Every structure is written in structure tokens, then in C-alpha cells.
């Protein structure tokens, strides 16, 4: 009875738009008091949830993305991609996807991508005559490449909660991220074939070389960060720190970053990181309560009674995660769902790395869907387009995103890089 009341209270608070951390933390503390459990133990559990060396990578990767945004790296990538693809019909749409792929190697966050590139991409596409809904929808959908492509902040969180290798999860996420980009490219190609009004730009090698020189240092970021992890030169946490130093050097070298800028940059990163860590701490306490009440075991038993097929289980998990992602902030949904679903996945013989990629990608789709849809609200804020229009623009691009999830469920061999 106590667990039912706890679940209903958390859900009600979330629907009332109470901040996620407090919607989870408040009822959890009430549960501890009502059941006579130790408040000190609950506090220690919440603190232990964030007292983790791998999780230190989260604020560092957040800082990396904030510095990259402030230093104008996104603008340089956009200009380079425009010089390469401007001559193709629908070129700006391909540039939109390409610059998101480039920025994803530095950001790890869809919100950073949407905020940084959205201010450039959407107005540029509108000036060239692209429909507003198409421009903002594609920008939002392509921003999902960032939290999937390493260095992915959600992947770091999953690896910490699940106790798996962050480097292996990073490697497993590379191909799915490119599959998202490929799916969006196919959508753009099918759409642009019928749009005869779209303008093209003359291709000039000089422009490619000039913009390439400006962007090359930023494009080397994945070599420094991901290369260092995969070669074993440093851990993901150390790689994040090295990436921050490298990005600071670039910002000062480009003169787009000054000493005075460091205070707002650090403040922005601290606020974002604190929000994530509070959620992780609160959901750690809730996860401990769920484990104490044997909820994961009950759900595991129910699912194994329902089906003995790993594929059917994965599709059930995807359906549940899509619902969770739509009503909860993805980080909290991630920390809450993994302790429940991962043991079940293991009982079906599903590789935790494979499962991690599916969980991360599926929950990230919730960033685009109402009622929460943080990416939609960020894009509405930076472009001044009504959020209703943003949601409408995003809907067609759900097709390639969900298609990628289905492919990952049906063909686990697509996640082959960690095996190397």
C-alpha cells in the first residue's frame, strides 16, 4: 500500500509540473518517515548516488559543451558544412545535420546543440525560404545526435548506474548516432526532391579551405576526447577534463573567450550540472526504496511470465521508456528505469551495453515530445517560434528516430564497435 501511495504521489507531482528532483525526493522522505526507516540512511543513499568518480565526467562534459557554445565553435562548424554542401538542393538542411554531427563530438547534450546551433540554423533556413516547421523540426531532431554520439552525458549516467564500461558504451553509440544522421538525410532527400524553389550556392574550393581552416581545430576535439578514451590514454572522466582544457585553449586562441567570460560560463555549467546531480541523488533514494520493496523482482517476474522472447521484452521496454521519456526529464527517467529494467534484460541474456544504447536513444526521443519536450521549449525560446509550431515541426522526424530504435532491437549486431 505504501508503494502504491508513493508512486501515485510522485506521478501527481510530476503532472503538476513540480521540479522532478523534488517530486521524487519529497514523497521518498515521507515514505521513510511513515515506514520508520532511518532518515540518515536515506540521506546517505542519496549522497552515495552522486559520490561517484565516473559521474564526475557529467559536469565536465557539460562544461565542455558550454565552452564550445560560448567560443563560437558551432558557428565555425556551420560555415564549414555550408561551404561543403551549399551547392546541393536542400543544402542548408544537410548542413543542419552535418553541423549537429560535428558539434555532437563536443557537446553530449541535445539542449546545448539546440541552443547553440538553433540560433544559427533556423534563421538561416528561414531566410532561404525553408518552411519554418521544417527548419525547426529538423534542427530539433538533429540535436538528438549529441546525447547519443560520444561523449554522451546520458551514456555516462547509464554506465554509472548500471556498472558497465563508459568507454564500451561510448564505442557502441557511434554507429547508432550515424544511423540517426543517415535517417534524417533520407528524410531531407525525399522532401527536397519536390521543393523546386530551393536555392543552391556556388561551390568554391577557396571557401571550403577558408572555413575548413577555421573549423579544423574544433573538429579535432573527438580525436582528443574519444581517441584518448578508446586508446586507453585516459578514463572518460580524465578525457572530459582534457577536453575542457583543449576547448579553453581554442576559445582564448580564437579570442572568442576572455577571462571575464569564465564566470558566466562556469555558472551556466554549474547550474546545469547541479540540476542533473540533484535528480540523480533523488532517484538513487527512490531506487533504494524500490529495491527494498522488491519492485524490480516483481516486474521481472511479471515480464518473464508474459514472454520468454528477448525481442518482445525489448519492444515492451521501448514502449515503457517512450512513455517515461514523454512525461519525465530523461536523466531522472534513466536513473529510475535502469535499476528496474536492467536485471530483467540480463535475465533474458541481453548484453547490458546493447540495452544501454537502446535505453539512451529511446529516452532521448522524449526530449522532443509533449508535454515535457525540453528541446522544443529551448528552440522556441531561442527562435521566438511558438512552442506549438515547434512540436508540429518535430512530429514527421519521429519516423527515422523510432526506425533506428527498431533496427537496434532487431539487429543487435549493429552495435559491434566495443568488440574491437
Amino acid at each position: 500500500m505504501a508503494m502504491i501511495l508513493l508512486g501515485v504521489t510522485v506521478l501527481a507531482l510530476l503532472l503538476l509540473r513540480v521540479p522532478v528532483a523534488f517530486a521524487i525526493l519529497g514523497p521518498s522522505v515521507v515514505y521513510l518517515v511513515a515506514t520508520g526507516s532511518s532518515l540518515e540512511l536515506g540521506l546517505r543513499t542519496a549522497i552515495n548516488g552522486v559520490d561517484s568518480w565516473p559521474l564526475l565526467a557529467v559536469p565536465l562534459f557539460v562544461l565542455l559543451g558550454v565552452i564550445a557554445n560560448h567560443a563560437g565553435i558551432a558557428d565555425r562548424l556551420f560555415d564549414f558544412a555550408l561551404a561543403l554542401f551549399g551547392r546541393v538542393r536542400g543544402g542548408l538542411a544537410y548542413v543542419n545535420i552535418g553541423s549537429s554531427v560535428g558539434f555532437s563530438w563536443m557537446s553530449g547534450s541535445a539542449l546545448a546543440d539546440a541552443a547553440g546551433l538553433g540560433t544559427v540554423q533556423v534563421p538561416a533556413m528561414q531566410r532561404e525560404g525553408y518552411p519554418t516547421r521544417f527548419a525547426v523540426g529538423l534542427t530539433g531532431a538533429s540535436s538528438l545526435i549529441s546525447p547519443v554520439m560520444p561523449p554522451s552525458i546520458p551514456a555516462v549516467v547509464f554506465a554509472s548506474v548500471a556498472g558497465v564500461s563508459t568507454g564500451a558504451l561510448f564505442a557502441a553509440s557511434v554507429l547508432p548516432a550515424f544511423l540517426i544522421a543517415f535517417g534524417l538525410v533520407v528524410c531531407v532527400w525525399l522532401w527536397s526532391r519536390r521543393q523546386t524553389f530551393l536555392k543552391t550556392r556556388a561551390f568554391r574550393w577557396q571557401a571550403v579551405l577558408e572555413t575548413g581552416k577555421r573549423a579544423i581545430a574544433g573538429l579535432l576535439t573527438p580525436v582528443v576526447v574519444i581517441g584518448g578514451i578508446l586508446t586507453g590514454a585516459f578514463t572518460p572522466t580524465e578525457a572530459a577534463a582534457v577536453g575542457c582544457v583543449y576547448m579553453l585553449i581554442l576559445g582564448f586562441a580564437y579570442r572568442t573567450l576572455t577571462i571575464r567570460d569564465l564566470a558566466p560560463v562556469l555558472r551556466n555549467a554549474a547550474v546545469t550540472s547541479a540540476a542533473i546531480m540533484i535528480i540523480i541523488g533523488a532517484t538513487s533514494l527512490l531506487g533504494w526504496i524500490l529495491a527494498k520493496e522488491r519492485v524490480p523482482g516483481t516486474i521481472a517476474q511479471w515480464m518473464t511470465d508474459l514472454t520468454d522472447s528477448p525481442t518482445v521484452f525489448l519492444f515492451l521496454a521501448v514502449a515503457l521508456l517512450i512513455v517515461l521519456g514523454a512525461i519525465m526529464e530523461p536523466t531522472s527517467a534513466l536513473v529510475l528505469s535502469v535499476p528496474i529494467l536492467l536485471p530483467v534484460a540480463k535475465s533474458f541474456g541481453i548484453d547490458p551495453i546493447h540495452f544501454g544504447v537502446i535505453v539512451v536513444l529511446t529516452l532521448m526521443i522524449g526530449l522532443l515530445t509533449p508535454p515535457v519536450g525540453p528541446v522544443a521549449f529551448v528552440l522556441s525560446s531561442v527562435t521566438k517560434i511558438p512552442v506549438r509550431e515547434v512540436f508540429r515541426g518535430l512530429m514527421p522526424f519521429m519516423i527515422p528516430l523510432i526506425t533506428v530504435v527498431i533496427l537496434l532491437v532487431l539487429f543487435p549486431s549493429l552495435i559491434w564497435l566495443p568488440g574491437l
Side-chain angles (χ1 to χ4, degrees):
M1 184 63 185
M3 279 307 303
I4 295 175
L5 187 59
L6 173 64
V8 171
T9 306
V10 170
L11 182 59
L13 291 174
L14 289 172
L15 292 175
L16 290 172
R17 307 303 295 270
V18 173
V20 173
F22 300 109
I24 294 173
L25 193 59
S28 298
V29 171
V30 172
Y31 169 88
L32 293 176
V33 173
T35 57
S37 302
S38 168
L39 285 176
E40 182 184 350
L41 178 60
L43 178 62
R44 192 181 302 121
T45 301
I47 293 173
N48 289 342
V50 296
D51 185 14
S52 163
W53 170 254
L55 274 182
L56 183 58
V58 172
L60 290 172
F61 279 130
V62 169
L63 179 59
L64 176 59
V66 172
I67 297 171
N69 251 336
H70 204 93
I73 305 297
D75 295 345
R76 292 168 181 264
L77 292 173
F78 183 81
D79 291 341
F80 178 53
L82 186 59
L84 281 175
F85 302 112
R87 62 176 176 173
V88 183
R89 178 183 290 179
L92 266 181
Y94 295 116
V95 168
N96 189 314
I97 300 167
S99 53
S100 288
V101 171
F103 192 65
S104 70
W105 293 106
M106 299 165 243
S107 166
S109 164
L111 299 184
D113 185 300
L117 291 172
T119 54
V120 180
Q121 293 170 335
V122 175
M125 293 179 74
Q126 287 175 315
R127 285 194 298 271
E128 294 293 326
Y130 288 78
T132 296
R133 285 185 187 175
F134 179 84
V136 76
L138 180 62
T139 302
S142 64
S143 74
L144 284 206
I145 298 170
S146 282
V148 178
M149 182 78 81
S152 160
I153 293 172
V156 174
V157 175
F158 179 93
S160 177
V161 174
V164 299
S165 164
T166 304
L169 193 54
F170 276 3
S173 303
V174 172
L175 187 56
F178 279 117
L179 284 175
I180 294 173
F182 177 74
L184 295 176
V185 165
V186 171
C187 285
V188 169
W189 180 74
L190 292 172
W191 177 84
S192 61
R193 289 172 62 197
R194 302 188 299 272
Q195 314 302 321
T196 55
F197 68 89
L198 293 176
K199 301 174 184 177
T200 58
R201 297 167 181 252
F203 181 81
R204 295 189 303 115
W205 276 111
Q206 184 180 355
V208 173
L209 292 174
E210 288 176 356
T211 55
K213 286 179 182 177
R214 297 179 70 242
I216 186 64
L219 290 172
L220 287 175
T221 306
V223 177
V224 175
V225 177
I226 309 303
I229 295 171
L230 297 183
T231 58
F234 23 73
T235 67
T237 303
E238 292 164 347
V242 171
C244 289
V245 173
Y246 178 70
M247 201 55 62
L248 282 172
I249 293 171
L250 287 188
F252 288 127
Y254 291 153
R255 297 184 179 179
T256 52
L257 198 66
T258 65
I259 297 295
R260 288 184 178 180
D261 294 328
L262 290 181
V265 164
L266 292 171
R267 187 184 307 116
N268 191 345
V271 168
T272 303
S273 302
I276 294 173
M277 291 303 181
I278 291 173
I279 290 170
I280 291 174
T283 47
S284 296
L285 175 57
L286 181 58
W288 177 81
I289 293 172
L290 293 175
K292 180 174 177 286
E293 295 288 343
R294 300 179 181 176
V295 173
T298 303
I299 294 176
Q301 184 63 49
W302 175 74
M303 285 193 162
T304 50
D305 289 344
L306 190 65
T307 179
D308 58 359
S309 167
T311 303
V312 173
F313 161 73
L314 284 175
F315 277 120
L316 289 173
V318 164
L320 174 63
L321 291 168
I322 286 176
V323 174
L324 279 179
I327 62 175
M328 293 181 70
E329 194 275 334
T331 302
S332 55
L334 183 66
V335 181
L336 185 62
S337 62
V338 171
I340 297 173
L341 294 177
L342 184 60
V344 189
K346 288 180 178 178
S347 71
F348 279 101
I350 297 168
D351 180 57
I353 299 295
H354 175 213
F355 187 65
V357 175
I358 292 173
V359 169
V360 168
L361 175 52
T362 305
L363 284 176
M364 292 310 107
I365 292 175
L367 290 169
L368 310 181
T369 57
V372 179
V375 164
F377 284 95
V378 167
L379 284 173
S380 176
S381 175
V382 299
T383 62
K384 309 306 178 188
I385 297 170
V387 72
R388 184 184 296 108
E389 290 297 298
V390 178
F391 278 127
R392 287 177 178 174
L394 287 166
M395 286 304 107
F397 295 101
M398 293 295 174
I399 297 173
L401 297 174
I402 293 174
T403 300
V404 172
V405 174
I406 293 171
L407 288 174
L408 293 175
V409 170
L410 295 177
F411 304 103
S413 57
L414 287 173
I415 302 173
W416 52 269
L417 266 178
L420 296 179

